[in-house]
Amino acid sequence: MRTSQLYISTLKEAPSEAELISHKLMLRAGLIKKLGSGLYTWMPLGLKVLRKVEAIVRDEMNKAGAQELLMPAVQPAELWQETGRWDLFGPQMLKITDRHDRNFCFGPTHEEVITDIARTELRSYKQLPANFYQIQVKFRDEIRPRFGVMRAREFTMKDAYSFDASFEGLQVTYGKMHQAYSNVFTRLGLKFRAVAADSGAIGGDGSHEFHVLADAGEDLLAYCPDSDFAANVELAEALAPTAPRAAPTEALRDVDTPKQTTCEDVAKLMEIGIEKTVKLIALVAGDGRFVIALIRGDHSLNEVKLSKVDGIGEFRFATDEEIRAKFNCPPGFLGPVGIAADIQVIADRTVAAMSDFVVGANKPKLHIAGVNWGRDLPEPHVVADIRNVVAGDPSPDGKGSIELCRGIEVGHIFQLRTKYSAAMNCLFVNENNQQEPMEMGCYGIGVSRIVAAAIEQNYDQRGIIFTPALAPFAVAVVAVGYHKSEAVKAAADKMYAELVAAGVDVLLDDRNERPGVMFADMELIGIPHRVTIGDKVLADGQVEYVARAGGEMQKIALGEAVAFVQQQLA
């Protein structure tokens, strides 16, 4: 394509609202235009990138045995009411009413719709396994849309759903989809990790997230460089200390802490390591019970893990007013010594192994040092892994130590099991002529999110550095003086025609612009390879070549330029 036939709208500066690099660069490069909060138009250049992602995703889904279909974006409320998610999904769901006052939603996901299809179309084990996918626009009414297409309300997603006759069959399908996802991100040229994850609101027994590694990632990932272990921090197990709890060596004593309400401040006042302190977190369980969680001072509570402790489920943090009423003490000075017997105490594994530690005294401006289990307070009711892992923790697989990195979630696969098939009576007749619910899996890829995540991983001060698989064009031919020099025009047109004939996706910059403007736009857009044709080098029978990803400028003989470019693309 020629720039004279392509709509290009680049900006020198990004709007002030743009925070992430990807958001800024996508707006500056003219890939997207904002329509409203969390709503973006994909402009011609951006849509070209998006379609390249879709093509690779579609190819790998087909190879994995999934079949493409397209389900309605607007879904009737009745389906969601069957699974109980009409109310459970929450305000993220955009609910609408038609002219007959019937309730619908703009689909945030399609588990209910595909299950309705399966229960009417798939009757026998002979029709299983079956795997269907679509690439479609979804809508989730984010409370705070931000970061451009990274967290938009409307987005493009590939969602696939599998149906198997047995759990063993589901595991086989799940493995195929896991491999297909790995293939997708490898072909896109992205650095990524697949990590064990929590199933969240979708439900099911097991899941994996696929993350593009980038400093801007919202998710913290734990991995072991010496093994294959990788998990989202919310799921990564923090092993219990292997050494037995040490015997007490200190006497119980009060410590005046007039202004010290955090473990950091208390440790600094006492001139001890923060790892000698324990913080109390007051919670209210789903059944209204008061619960306290104990975490070492330098650790943080893992809410997902805590919610899975028997009897806890959904919980919330106690308010300051509730804390004062229950403990007769302001927050910041709470501790487990002498608390009421009806309050359940859940101690993290690390805390349960501590001795001679420091806690709040349940009195204003006071802490207690030299605290020991069994001597100064009863053993905790529950000992569980309820903290986030930290760098240096032993890997759960016993093969090294954990390291942490940031990731942007771009894919998530789930073993749903029978969560939806049982709820919606999606049954098949097995080999024994008996009915049973189908085993389901679901598999999502954030197609539009991939574009932003790829930019977060690949950019410099000049703009986007697209991988070859993602770039809107593989090669840019910049013709300096195209409208002034017949020699430049002839050479540029000839090279352009030869590259097109060779099947190369090439952009000929034939604009009547200054060289600096042309170079800046091609770099901002992120085209991987650039050939410059100008009178000066052309007089020596040469052209200039430079790779976008930090390459040095090279002079290439004009007659060898096309072959050289093809070699770079190989």
Side-chain angles (χ1 to χ4, degrees), residues 73 84 93 146 172 191 196 213 321 350 363 377 383 410 452 506 560:
M93 182 189 289
R146 52 184 178 153
V172 171
K191 297 176 184 176
L213 304 184
E321 292 74 17
T350 307
K363 296 178 182 178
L377 75 169
V383 175
V410 290
V506 58
E560 300 172 3

Side-chain angles (χ1 to χ4, degrees), residues 293-373:
L294 300 178
I295 302 288
R296 203 171 76 179
D298 58 335
H299 290 160
S300 59
L301 179 69
N302 185 307
E303 296 180 34
V304 171
K305 291 180 181 179
L306 180 60
S307 70
K308 294 181 178 180
V309 173
D310 287 344
I312 300 300
E314 291 188 12
F315 67 89
R316 63 176 176 82
F317 295 100
T319 65
D320 287 358
E321 292 74 17
E322 289 171 328
I323 289 172
R324 291 176 185 273
K326 188 70 175 180
F327 295 94
N328 193 28
C329 175
F333 301 97
L334 301 181
V337 178
I339 65 164
D342 64 333
I343 299 178
Q344 185 180 21
V345 178
I346 302 174
D348 180 65
R349 292 169 172 174
T350 307
V351 173
M354 292 175 66
S355 58
D356 296 329
F357 51 91
V358 178
V359 297
N362 287 325
K363 296 178 182 178
K365 303 180 181 181
L366 198 67
H367 278 71
I368 305 175
V371 178
N372 285 273
W373 296 107

Side-chain angles (χ1 to χ4, degrees), residues 28 42 62 72 98 119 127 249 350 432 467:
R28 284 191 56 212
W42 286 82
N62 293 341
D98 70 5
R119 69 182 173 183
Q127 295 173 281
T249 61
T350 307
N432 298 318
T467 63

Side-chain angles (χ1 to χ4, degrees), residues 236-476:
E237 182 184 8
L239 298 180
T242 55
R245 182 197 297 166
T249 61
E250 299 178 14
L252 194 68
R253 63 191 186 280
D254 291 342
V255 179
D256 289 326
T257 51
K259 298 180 180 179
Q260 289 74 23
T261 59
T262 67
C263 289
E264 291 84 356
D265 290 342
V266 171
K268 184 176 180 181
L269 175 72
M270 296 181 63
E271 297 183 341
I272 60 173
I274 190 174
E275 69 277 2
K276 294 288 291 180
T277 66
V278 172
K279 54 189 169 187
L280 182 151
I281 302 170
L283 312 161
V284 179
D287 59 6
R289 292 179 299 114
F290 244 82
V291 177
I292 64 171
L294 300 178
I295 302 288
R296 203 171 76 179
D298 58 335
H299 290 160
S300 59
L301 179 69
N302 185 307
E303 296 180 34
V304 171
K305 291 180 181 179
L306 180 60
S307 70
K308 294 181 178 180
V309 173
D310 287 344
I312 300 300
E314 291 188 12
F315 67 89
R316 63 176 176 82
F317 295 100
T319 65
D320 287 358
E321 292 74 17
E322 289 171 328
I323 289 172
R324 291 176 185 273
K326 188 70 175 180
F327 295 94
N328 193 28
C329 175
F333 301 97
L334 301 181
V337 178
I339 65 164
D342 64 333
I343 299 178
Q344 185 180 21
V345 178
I346 302 174
D348 180 65
R349 292 169 172 174
T350 307
V351 173
M354 292 175 66
S355 58
D356 296 329
F357 51 91
V358 178
V359 297
N362 287 325
K363 296 178 182 178
K365 303 180 181 181
L366 198 67
H367 278 71
I368 305 175
V371 178
N372 285 273
W373 296 107
R375 187 191 72 179
D376 308 311
L377 75 169
E379 296 289 340
H381 298 109
V382 178
V383 175
D385 171 24
I386 58 171
R387 71 171 176 91
N388 288 317
V389 295
V390 296
D393 278 345
S395 177
D397 61 7
K399 296 181 180 179
S401 298
I402 282 177
E403 293 186 14
L404 303 177
C405 65
R406 287 278 168 190
I408 299 169
E409 183 187 338
V410 290
H412 203 158
I413 60 177
F414 303 83
Q415 295 180 29
L416 294 176
R417 301 295 310 272
T418 59
K419 174 181 171 68
Y420 296 91
S421 56
M424 296 182 67
N425 204 35
C426 180
L427 309 176
F428 74 99
V429 176
N430 63 23
E431 292 175 294
N432 298 318
N433 204 33
Q434 295 177 329
Q435 287 191 328
E436 57 181 296
M438 300 179 198
E439 292 278 352
M440 288 179 60
C442 77
Y443 319 89
I445 285 182
V447 175
S448 48
R449 199 173 216 227
I450 285 173
V451 180
I455 294 170
E456 288 293 336
Q457 193 178 85
N458 300 283
Y459 70 91
D460 61 15
Q461 71 276 9
R462 293 173 292 172
I464 301 166
I465 305 175
F466 273 125
T467 63
L470 280 165
F473 297 94
V475 181

